[in-house]
Amino acid sequence: MIKLPHLSFFLDFNWLNIWWHTYAEPEDHLYIILLYEHDTLLAIAPFYIKDDTLRLLGTGEAEHEEVASEYLDILCAPKHYQRVSDCLADTLMDCLFASQNSVQPYCQKPETPVSHIVLDNYLQNSCLMLFAKRISRFFFHSSRCVGKAYSCQLPADNEQYQQQLSPSFRKKMNRHKKQWQEQLQGEFKSYRYLSDFDEGLSHLTSLHQRRWQAQGKKGVFSAQRFTEFHKRFMEQALRRNWLELWVLFARGKAISAIYAINYNETCYFYQSGLDTDFKPNLSPGFLSHFLLIEHCIKRQLKHYDFMKGAQENSYKQHFANINRDLYRSQLAIKKASNLGFAMNNKLKQARDFLLWKNQ
């Protein structure tokens, strides 16, 4: 895979390879496109075909076991975005949607005809956004914002970071930190070695499941494939010094856990667990983020990324000073059998407009 500093771990070979070997069904087919200029590789488009739909690797699982890959894109340098998006759109039209008699010699025609494209969780300034706009003229299409990605740019020291927070939130977090340290024998433990990895993972899964089961939900770690995927990926991440697996203890009891990935000078918060019944209430989830951000600043990382959250009233807004929209596009080739898709899309647009107008 191309190693580029702007790409997230969701596009790293390790994540995509483990995802494919965990989630791919026998009838799914890889459809990875390599774009060259002469003998120089310009871009990799990591697609696969599921049923009649072209999807991005790392997406398309059942909701109860999805890993929720984000920041997906075509792998290429930003300076090539326009050229790559144009070329990729033309290549896909030639290879997937041209008649059998006009398929170009460089194309590999899939056994199953493709009539839809789904692109998940991409940013507005991505190559994928340009590609979606370029290819949409051939399709009935729908694109919408599916959430905001929150992050904070990390300064040189913790004092500067705290000045970025609102005065009330800064005061609250420092008060909770002092109480945790002085009254609750607090410990924030990192699980960085294979010898104690299983212990850290056990704390994470137990706290995560307990929180969701208290709300009458199963929790993602109840899904076998989800758990298998993350155990394999976390072990790979640990060996590469990417894994940030931390557990917050109070009086020797685990009350919060964070699973994050340190990649390309950014710490990506991925999953957490929380004891919601712990008293006194010192916001253990918030405190875990607060402490991990301090650790990231000491390690001179550039960003702490909370990834996707609610578009409004997200707790992540307390910490973040950057937010970016994430998008999803659905495209259906223009033919009579897909008219239902087009009509449904128009109805959704009309409904959204009426809801907005009546606010």
Side-chain angles (χ1 to χ4, degrees):
M1 286 288 185
I2 299 173
K3 294 289 185 182
L4 294 167
H6 68 287
L7 297 179
S8 77
F9 72 93
F10 292 111
L11 290 167
D12 188 88
F13 174 78
N14 292 281
W15 179 273
L16 296 178
N17 183 52
I18 295 171
W19 183 91
W20 177 255
H21 285 97
T22 304
Y23 285 99
E25 303 293 348
E27 62 273 15
D28 296 343
H29 300 284
L30 287 171
Y31 204 79
I32 297 173
I33 297 174
L34 309 182
L35 297 178
Y36 286 86
E37 184 176 59
H38 305 299
D39 293 329
T40 301
L41 179 64
L42 285 186
I44 302 175
F47 292 117
Y48 78 106
I49 297 170
K50 187 177 190 67
D51 302 323
D52 66 344
T53 302
L54 185 75
R55 292 180 175 273
L56 294 159
L57 276 175
T59 68
E61 322 94 307
E63 185 177 0
H64 74 278
E65 60 180 3
E66 68 177 347
V67 300
S69 301
E70 296 180 20
Y71 303 142
L72 299 176
D73 207 354
I74 310 305
L75 284 74
C76 68
K79 65 181 179 180
H80 298 311
Y81 276 5
Q82 190 64 61
R83 189 158 43 132
V84 165
S85 60
D86 290 347
C87 183
L88 180 61
D90 292 342
T91 300
L92 279 178
M93 293 307 299
D94 287 344
C95 296
L96 295 183
F97 304 106
S99 66
Q100 192 66 42
N101 295 330
S102 59
V103 172
Q104 299 297 321
Y106 56 78
C107 292
Q108 180 180 342
K109 194 76 172 176
E111 295 180 9
T112 304
V114 173
S115 60
H116 295 78
I117 300 175
V118 175
L119 308 172
D120 282 307
N121 289 330
Y122 62 88
L123 292 166
Q124 188 169 12
N125 63 344
S126 63
C127 185
L128 209 53
M129 172 65 88
L130 294 175
F131 163 74
K133 289 180 178 178
R134 175 73 168 77
I135 204 168
S136 64
R137 61 196 174 111
F138 303 108
F139 293 81
F140 300 124
H141 62 92
S142 169
S143 295
R144 61 188 178 91
C145 178
V146 292
K148 283 190 180 295
Y150 297 92
S151 62
C152 54
Q153 189 168 354
L154 300 179
D157 59 63
N158 191 54
E159 184 177 345
Q160 290 181 54
Y161 170 69
Q162 291 209 22
Q163 292 304 312
Q164 296 176 184
L165 306 175
S166 71
S168 60
F169 188 66
R170 178 170 66 246
K171 183 178 180 180
K172 172 185 174 180
M173 294 314 304
N174 283 313
R175 183 178 72 251
H176 285 176
K177 179 182 176 182
K178 183 178 181 181
Q179 180 184 7
W180 168 75
Q181 288 176 326
E182 296 180 358
Q183 300 176 23
L184 300 173
Q185 297 84 53
E187 180 187 8
F188 193 44
K189 182 177 179 180
S190 172
Y191 292 85
R192 307 186 67 86
Y193 303 100
L194 282 172
S195 58
D196 60 5
F197 167 72
D198 287 339
E199 177 189 329
L201 181 59
S202 177
H203 284 306
L204 172 70
T205 55
S206 175
L207 287 165
H208 179 88
Q209 292 302 106
R210 194 185 316 162
R211 179 187 183 188
W212 287 102
Q213 288 168 0
Q215 301 176 26
K217 301 177 182 179
K218 289 184 176 181
V220 290
F221 284 103
S222 64
Q224 182 179 352
R225 288 204 289 193
F226 181 92
T227 303
E228 289 175 355
F229 170 84
H230 279 290
K231 191 171 191 304
R232 292 176 63 191
F233 178 72
M234 291 169 82
E235 288 174 350
Q236 290 293 323
L238 190 149
R239 290 187 174 95
R240 288 166 171 76
N241 202 29
W242 298 346
L243 183 64
E244 300 288 352
L245 180 58
W246 293 78
V247 178
L248 187 75
F249 292 89
R251 298 195 184 108
K253 180 183 180 182
I255 60 172
S256 176
I258 282 188
Y259 161 24
I261 295 296
N262 176 354
Y263 190 87
N264 277 344
E265 299 186 308
T266 297
C267 183
Y268 293 90
F269 161 58
Y270 180 81
Q271 192 55 271
S272 65
L274 184 65
D275 182 355
T276 54
D277 295 326
F278 178 78
K279 304 296 181 187
N281 181 15
L282 46 71
S283 304
F286 280 19
L287 183 57
S288 296
H289 284 297
F290 192 69
L291 295 171
L292 183 52
I293 288 171
E294 286 185 354
H295 169 76
C296 291
I297 291 171
K298 289 177 182 176
R299 293 187 63 183
Q300 299 183 313
L301 299 186
K302 303 299 184 186
H303 294 90
Y304 188 89
D305 198 320
F306 288 89
M307 301 197 294
K308 187 166 68 174
Q311 291 178 266
E312 297 180 2
N313 301 320
S314 171
Y315 78 88
K316 299 175 181 181
Q317 293 171 305
H318 290 293
F319 295 93
N321 55 23
I322 301 170
N323 66 76
R324 299 174 291 173
D325 291 333
L326 284 165
Y327 291 87
R328 184 176 202 257
S329 291
Q330 296 173 278
L331 304 99
I333 197 71
K334 289 182 177 178
K335 60 181 183 179
S337 61
N338 285 331
L339 284 173
F341 172 91
M343 291 300 295
N344 189 46
N345 182 38
K346 293 295 183 184
L347 288 171
K348 285 182 179 178
Q349 289 177 348
R351 180 201 62 191
D352 291 345
F353 173 76
L354 290 172
L355 288 172
W356 169 79
K357 189 175 182 181
N358 291 325
Q359 284 180 347

